[in-house]
Amino acid sequence: MVAKLKLGSKRAWFYCIRRCSSRQRRIILRLASNIGSIILFFGFLHIFLTSSLPPIIDQDHNSVHTSFDHLIPSDSFDLFWTMWNTDESTFRDRRLLVIDSLFIHHPQATVIVLSPTLNDTNLFLPYRQRGYQIYSINISLDRMIQWHWYVGDRSRNFLIHWNTLSTYFYSHMNDYVKGISLYLYGGTYIDMDILILQPLPRHEFIGFDRSDSSESCLWCVKNTLGLYLSPSLMRFRSRRKVLREILENTFDHQVYNESCFNCVGSKAFTEHIIQHRDMNDSQLINLKFFEPFRLYPFTWRKTLLIFHNVQKDASLQLADLMIRSYSLRFFGHISDQFSIVHGCLIAFLFDQLDLGVVRPKILNRGGKKTVARVIHLPLYIYTDRKQGRFLGRDVIYLRAGKRISDENVKWNISIHVSNGTIIYSNTSFLSNLNQAQINKILNEISYQPYESTSIDTLNIYLTTSKTYIISSLTIVVFSKWVTFLVKTMETSDQWSVIQRLVTSVETHYPQTIIHIASNLDHQSIYQNILLNLISSDDTKGYSSNKITFIYNIPENNGQSISYNYLVNATSTPFFFLINNNFTIEEYPHIDLLLELIYTYKHIDIIAGQTSENIEELNNFSSFFPGNNQTQELQHDISEDKQDQDLFIPSFDDKVDPDKTNPCHQVDFLPDVFMGRKESLRSIDWDIFFQSKEDEDFFIRSDQANRTVYTCQFI
């Protein structure tokens, strides 16, 4: 009967249960077990043979298929390469900070770590369990030869005969891997001591760094103060000719100098890329050359400061970096010997850039890391320049908690606002998501306020089968809270100056009202400078699309009348007072000033960095360079204002309002600052003065208990 049964058939087994004897059933089970073992044996044999076989060469395309080709994303800008060639014990938590920073700003990235030492499962499996694509691939000279990771006979022969005992072998191997990986596949190469501070731009780039060595740099870019191109963070499309030339001409036994540290790294990339740029290489037309502060804001000599220097305004320093810079290099070969002091810049980064995956507890966060939560700033300043995106310093992301570390945790997400619209890149999938998918959604959403919206609340709801998270942040629309105020002077070129000023404001802060006071009444000039001027009945001036207003102030009047008129005409809670030669540069921090004065209700006047020495702003005597120049300041308050009621700000005396305030209180500021209209309109600039009116204004502001602050790094 057994011979007639089809082994493995469910039908045969059920038949045997009913009809076979116990002896027959034992025979069938033994045979089935043996067949299962045979199947498992051949399965493992297949895996072993395929993993040990040499890579497959595609003869049609003259390329090699490696074991990780299937990991390469279709868009090379989503591909990141890095390398680690020392022992796994040296892969400290600050390297995991690099990985966290990358995935926070690029949750869709695929990261390939080429390393002969790292254990892929121990380090990176927790990331993959949460949906992040990161893999460690074993690499060696033999494997690169096997993979055909060379571009010609010279580089192939170099790999075969490379002296692995040379002084800089591992450093030079890193440089070779940078070039060959980008040449074959394209993507972004990043050293493991570079933190990503905001999403990298979606184009090819490489950045300048500074040589702060006492020795002259003969190979640095000509006519610069020691600038060179650093290959520590760069992005290229595949098959760029310049990368091929770097590999073939540098890694050649005829020219290779194993004792020269920089010869195959920065020197080779600088000389070849600059040469190709100067020759108008068509492949480099879209290559962006970043200034040093964009990728490498600190030199290696300042590394100790970012690990040990504790200062009140470190959070402002970080805010400035996350607005102006794409990355920060902490020079691991130097800083690995430094501890991280609580309150320093790196400590702030450790606290802010943490996915909660595998990094150990740092400093004194207490129990915060054990609970999943949404990380974001409490306040978002909406400007057209940001396009409603939550990127860089404004990034929103889900930090996983240890209580829900299992890879099977799935999230549902919904986002709501009251006075605007949330725009998703894809609304098809908002449920049953892993951490990486949630953060990809948060990375891609944008907010669009209604035309009349001045303030809104963004609510994020995240749920699992066991967890419910609600997180909210306030959205403030810049153009509805700030008015630009400017007083022009009677100069021959004042109208071209006004045009530059208005253009710069409308470029960076469109839809924001601008009030201009002028003592020249030339309507025809207004019309030439500001197009489409229309009469404004309620302002007795002229406006451009009801955004830019020009007020006619009688001639021979000082600035005081103009300032008072402008402040009283302001309809927004805050104003930004500027002079007529002020222009907004590429990375303005005016919205950061709004964030600070909005958050700290006791601040009446605030400005960015105005002096290297803050003490200069804490002594009114600096107003008075000589007695003969200060006679008109003998009185403090004009008689008609002595009995005037002043607006007195109120706050809880038991709470130190400056406990978390990163700015410094001073006595006075130059004539560019942001002010709180409600508390300053009762002060006014005294029309008694034809000069020194600003000095008098700050003296009386101090007497009226108004507070003045300056903020470094802004």
Side-chain angles (χ1 to χ4, degrees):
M1 180 181 296
V2 174
K4 295 181 180 180
L5 293 176
K6 294 182 180 179
L7 295 178
S9 167
K10 290 183 179 179
R11 182 178 178 184
W13 175 245
F14 286 121
Y15 175 85
C16 191
I17 289 177
R18 296 192 302 268
R19 302 291 181 87
C20 294
S21 65
S22 59
R23 178 174 176 275
Q24 290 171 329
R25 285 197 294 269
R26 286 196 299 272
I27 293 173
I28 291 175
L29 285 173
R30 191 176 298 115
L31 288 172
S33 175
N34 290 337
I35 291 174
S37 300
I38 293 171
I39 293 173
L40 287 174
F41 170 77
F42 280 106
F44 283 119
L45 180 63
H46 172 74
I47 294 173
F48 172 78
L49 291 175
T50 54
S51 62
S52 59
L53 286 174
I56 301 172
I57 300 178
D58 186 342
Q59 299 295 340
D60 294 335
H61 298 88
N62 194 29
S63 61
V64 175
H65 295 300
T66 65
S67 60
F68 55 84
D69 274 11
H70 64 285
L71 304 176
I72 305 299
S74 57
D75 186 345
S76 63
F77 286 171
D78 290 333
L79 175 61
F80 288 77
W81 301 91
T82 189
M83 187 172 183
W84 190 262
N85 51 25
T86 58
D87 187 78
E88 185 173 321
S89 62
T90 64
F91 197 85
R92 302 173 62 187
D93 51 12
R94 56 193 69 177
R95 265 60 189 204
L96 295 173
L97 173 63
V98 171
I99 295 172
D100 279 13
S101 73
L102 196 159
F103 280 132
I104 285 171
H105 298 294
H106 294 276
Q108 79 289 353
T110 296
V111 181
I112 295 180
V113 184
L114 299 167
S115 173
T117 60
L118 297 183
N119 185 305
D120 176 72
T121 302
N122 289 347
L123 285 175
F124 305 131
L125 181 60
Y127 284 96
R128 292 198 294 273
Q129 289 173 339
R130 291 161 178 80
Y132 297 103
Q133 303 302 307
I134 181 169
Y135 308 89
S136 177
I137 306 297
N138 189 279
I139 192 172
S140 64
L141 289 182
D142 290 339
R143 281 181 174 265
M144 286 195 287
I145 296 170
Q146 185 184 40
W147 296 340
H148 288 206
W149 271 31
Y150 44 79
V151 294
D153 291 338
R154 283 185 291 171
S155 55
R156 178 179 180 274
N157 292 333
F158 183 87
L159 291 179
I160 294 174
H161 302 290
W162 200 343
N163 178 16
T164 59
L165 299 179
S166 59
T167 305
Y168 299 117
F169 167 72
Y170 288 108
S171 174
H172 289 180
M173 183 178 175
N174 276 3
D175 292 322
Y176 183 88
V177 168
K178 293 175 185 181
I180 192 64
S181 58
L182 293 182
Y183 176 75
L184 293 176
Y185 296 94
T188 305
Y189 187 91
I190 178 172
D191 277 344
M192 285 301 296
D193 58 358
I194 290 182
L195 301 174
I196 302 299
L197 303 180
Q198 59 174 302
L200 299 174
R202 295 194 65 81
H203 50 66
E204 295 175 282
F205 65 81
I206 192 169
F208 288 107
D209 200 357
R210 298 167 298 273
S211 173
D212 55 358
S213 173
S214 57
E215 300 178 1
S216 61
C217 177
L218 300 178
W219 51 267
C220 287
V221 181
K222 294 181 179 179
N223 302 320
T224 68
L225 297 177
L227 291 184
Y228 64 90
L229 292 174
S230 171
S232 296
L233 177 60
M234 56 183 173
R235 171 176 286 172
F236 284 91
R237 295 290 188 187
S238 63
R239 307 290 172 173
R240 293 306 192 199
K241 291 184 297 184
V242 67
L243 296 178
R244 182 185 182 94
E245 286 189 14
I246 291 172
L247 293 166
E248 193 73 351
N249 296 332
T250 304
F251 294 94
D252 177 0
H253 282 297
Q254 299 297 322
V255 297
Y256 176 70
N257 182 357
E258 64 181 27
S259 300
C260 178
F261 175 73
N262 272 325
C263 286
V264 300
S266 301
K267 181 176 183 291
F269 276 85
T270 299
E271 291 178 343
H272 283 82
I273 292 177
I274 294 300
Q275 181 183 27
H276 275 250
R277 182 198 65 178
D278 294 343
M279 294 171 57
N280 297 319
D281 183 347
S282 60
Q283 290 189 342
L284 300 186
I285 289 178
N286 296 319
L287 178 67
K288 303 296 183 182
F289 293 85
F290 286 137
E291 298 171 84
F293 73 88
R294 299 308 303 271
L295 301 184
Y296 314 108
F298 297 100
T299 62
W300 66 269
R301 293 183 183 275
K302 295 183 179 180
T303 305
L304 179 62
L305 295 179
I306 65 177
F307 278 82
H308 285 183
N309 193 23
V310 177
Q311 51 190 6
K312 177 182 178 181
D313 46 19
S315 62
L316 285 181
Q317 184 182 20
L318 179 58
D320 172 60
L321 284 171
M322 297 189 77
I323 293 172
R324 300 195 314 132
S325 302
Y326 288 113
S327 61
L328 179 152
R329 187 180 186 188
F330 57 82
F331 297 93
H333 63 289
I334 297 174
S335 63
D336 279 348
Q337 61 183 308
F338 302 151
S339 59
I340 300 175
V341 177
H342 181 65
C344 71
L345 182 63
I346 289 293
F348 272 97
L349 284 166
F350 257 104
D351 189 63
Q352 187 161 336
L353 303 176
D354 182 3
L355 287 172
V357 179
V358 295
R359 271 205 282 132
K361 186 186 299 183
I362 303 299
L363 304 176
N364 58 352
R365 290 204 204 115
K368 290 183 179 179
K369 196 175 179 182
T370 62
V371 179
R373 59 193 181 115
V374 179
I375 305 300
H376 56 74
L377 294 175
L379 183 66
Y380 175 81
I381 305 298
Y382 175 89
T383 65
D384 287 67
R385 177 171 49 89
K386 295 180 181 179
Q387 298 179 331
R389 300 287 302 279
F390 299 88
L391 303 175
R393 180 172 176 267
D394 296 308
V395 67
I396 304 174
Y397 69 92
L398 170 64
R399 175 182 294 170
K402 290 184 177 180
R403 296 176 185 173
I404 51 172
S405 59
D406 186 83
E407 66 271 20
N408 295 321
V409 171
K410 298 298 181 182
W411 296 88
N412 305 315
I413 184 172
S414 61
I415 305 172
H416 300 283
V417 292
S418 302
N419 301 313
T421 304
I422 291 294
I423 302 172
Y424 296 87
S425 61
N426 187 342
T427 57
S428 301
F429 304 100
L430 297 177
S431 60
N432 199 33
L433 306 174
N434 55 41
Q435 182 189 8
Q437 291 169 323
I438 289 291
N439 286 339
K440 185 174 184 294
I441 290 174
L442 294 172
N443 185 263
E444 294 177 349
I445 62 170
S446 61
Y447 169 78
Q448 182 63 47
Y450 298 144
E451 185 175 351
S452 60
T453 298
S454 63
I455 191 169
D456 204 346
T457 301
L458 177 75
N459 294 304
I460 302 171
Y461 303 90
L462 288 172
T463 61
T464 70
S465 58
K466 299 180 180 179
T467 306
Y468 188 77
I469 299 175
I470 303 177
S471 192
S472 301
L473 65 90
T474 300
I475 298 175
V476 167
V477 179
F478 182 91
S479 62
K480 299 299 174 62
W481 287 79
V482 178
T483 298
F484 284 85
L485 307 182
V486 58
K487 164 67 172 68
T488 67
M489 302 299 291
E490 185 174 352
T491 58
S492 59
D493 65 340
Q494 74 163 300
W495 301 116
S496 61
V497 170
I498 290 176
Q499 188 176 36
R500 288 197 301 270
L501 184 150
V502 171
T503 300
S504 69
V505 171
E506 292 184 344
T507 297
H508 295 281
Y509 298 99
Q511 307 305 314
T512 303
I513 296 174
I514 308 170
H515 285 175
I516 302 172
S518 172
N519 56 6
L520 292 179
D521 186 12
H522 296 304
Q523 297 182 24
S524 60
I525 299 181
Y526 294 146
Q527 292 170 349
N528 289 332
I529 300 301
L530 300 173
L531 302 178
N532 302 320
L533 287 177
I534 57 176
S535 176
S536 179
D537 297 334
D538 56 339
T539 61
K540 297 181 180 180
Y542 300 90
S543 70
S544 173
N545 297 325
K546 298 292 184 179
I547 294 176
T548 301
F549 297 84
I550 299 180
Y551 301 96
N552 299 326
I553 304 299
E555 292 188 51
N556 301 321
N557 279 275
Q559 291 191 113
S560 296
I561 289 181
S562 299
Y563 287 158
N564 294 338
Y565 192 95
L566 291 173
V567 171
N568 288 324
T570 298
S571 59
T572 56
F574 306 103
F575 61 83
F576 189 61
L577 184 66
I578 53 181
N579 51 44
N580 62 344
N581 61 358
F582 180 91
T583 56
I584 300 177
E585 298 179 351
E586 184 178 0
Y587 308 104
H589 290 350
I590 303 173
D591 44 335
L592 189 53
L593 290 178
L594 173 59
E595 178 183 323
L596 290 164
I597 198 171
Y598 179 93
T599 301
Y600 298 100
K601 308 299 183 184
H602 67 289
I603 296 179
D604 298 307
I605 297 175
I606 193 170
Q609 182 171 347
T610 56
S611 173
E612 294 295 333
N613 183 10
I614 293 179
E615 295 302 320
E616 294 177 358
L617 304 177
N618 281 326
N619 187 351
F620 281 119
S621 63
S622 61
F623 277 151
F624 314 128
N627 290 334
N628 61 333
Q629 300 180 32
T630 62
Q631 296 303 312
E632 62 181 28
L633 288 176
Q634 292 299 315
H635 75 291
D636 293 328
I637 303 178
S638 57
E639 294 181 2
D640 61 328
K641 292 182 179 291
Q642 289 181 358
D643 298 326
Q644 181 175 345
D645 292 332
L646 299 178
F647 173 82
I648 305 299
S650 61
F651 49 84
D652 190 349
D653 293 336
K654 297 180 181 179
V655 178
D656 180 8
D658 284 334
K659 184 177 181 180
T660 59
N661 179 13
C663 301
H664 300 267
Q665 187 168 6
V666 295
D667 289 328
F668 63 93
L669 293 168
D671 56 350
V672 175
F673 59 81
M674 184 173 290
R676 190 182 299 272
K677 176 189 174 181
E678 185 65 24
S679 62
L680 295 179
R681 65 178 180 176
S682 58
I683 303 293
D684 280 350
W685 282 261
D686 199 320
I687 62 175
F688 172 84
F689 298 105
Q690 292 296 317
S691 63
K692 302 291 183 182
E693 59 267 33
D694 289 330
E695 289 86 337
D696 171 74
F697 172 80
F698 280 103
I699 290 174
R700 290 185 296 104
S701 294
D702 179 69
Q703 292 172 337
N705 296 319
R706 301 301 186 265
T707 58
V708 183
Y709 285 80
T710 181
C711 309
Q712 304 301 296
F713 306 107
I714 296 182

